[in-house]
């Protein structure tokens, strides 16, 4: 794939934006509203959904990997990297597949990605802990992913609508 300067620049900006959203999300104590451990809004996934539709699968995947690696490095929490990578890669794989089918809106693709992200993180927990106890928490996380995925889809849809008449969305 031959990348244009515009695509490279946009990937860099989107990576920085995803990292900023991820950091910003940690400033809000979501556990006060939803008292469940491990629940996050997934604001950085707005960037992933946007990149998937605006740039394609390969650039979106690279932005995701860069966000995971740089986020873990800057946060000084390399042990969380497996959770971030497994969740993110699972979400990207599912969203790429669902978006290619063309039967779901950005909302459905986003909800599918949120559910896959939670499955990936539970898989990371099973690998890390060496037992299957985290699987019992998966139904709760999948229920929450309906809400967080719909929120991410809504913001993404609004973003697409707002940028529809710009050069950004015309390749």
């Amino acid at each position: 794939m031959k990348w244009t300067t515009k695509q490279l620049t946009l990937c860099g900006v989107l990576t920085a934006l995803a990292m900023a959203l991820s950091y910003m999300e940690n400033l809000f104590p979501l556990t006060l509203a939803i008292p469940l451990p491990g629940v996050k809004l997934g604001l950085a996934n707005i960037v992933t959904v946007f990149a998937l539709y605006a740039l394609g699968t390969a650039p979106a995947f690279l932005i995701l990997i860069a966000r995971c690696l740089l986020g873990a490095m800057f946060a000084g929490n390399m042990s969380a990297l497996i959770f971030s990578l497994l969740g993110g890669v699972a979400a990207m794989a599912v969203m790429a597949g669902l978006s290619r089918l063309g039967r779901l809106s950005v909302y459905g693709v986003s909800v599918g990605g949120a559910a896959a992200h939670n499955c990936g993180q539970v898989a990371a927990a099973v690998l890390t802990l060496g037992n299957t106890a985290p699987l019992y928490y998966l139904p709760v996380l999948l229920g929450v992913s309906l809400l967080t995925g719909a929120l991410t889809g809504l913001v993404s849809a609004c973003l697409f609508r707002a940028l529809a008449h710009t050069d950004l969305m015309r390749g």
Side-chain angles (χ1 to χ4, degrees), residues 15-29 40 42-44 67 70-71 74-75:
T15 300
L17 179 61
M19 289 178 57
L21 287 171
S22 184
Y23 176 77
M24 191 176 76
E25 184 173 37
N26 292 327
L27 299 176
F28 300 111
K40 292 177 73 176
L43 296 178
R67 174 179 56 96
L70 291 170
F74 288 143

Side-chain angles (χ1 to χ4, degrees), residues 49-145:
V49 171
F50 176 80
L52 177 64
Y53 280 91
L55 298 173
T57 302
F61 182 73
L62 291 175
I63 291 167
L64 171 81
I65 296 298
R67 174 179 56 96
C68 292
L69 292 173
L70 291 170
M73 188 173 66
F74 288 143
N77 191 358
M78 294 306 282
S79 62
L81 183 60
I82 188 172
F83 288 87
S84 183
L85 281 175
L86 281 178
V89 169
M92 177 54 70
V94 167
M95 289 191 304
L98 291 175
S99 67
R100 278 202 181 107
L101 288 176
R103 294 183 177 180
L104 294 176
S105 69
V106 68
Y107 296 97
V109 170
S110 183
V111 168
H117 191 276
N118 284 326
C119 289
Q121 289 202 320
V122 168
V126 167
L127 290 172
T128 302
L129 296 174
N131 66 52
T132 58
L135 291 174
Y136 292 105
Y137 193 50
L138 186 58
V140 173
L141 290 176
L142 290 176
V144 172
S145 69

Side-chain angles (χ1 to χ4, degrees), residues 33 38 41-42 60 86 96 105 141 148 160 166:
L41 290 174
L86 281 178
S105 69
L141 290 176
T148 60
F160 293 136
T166 67

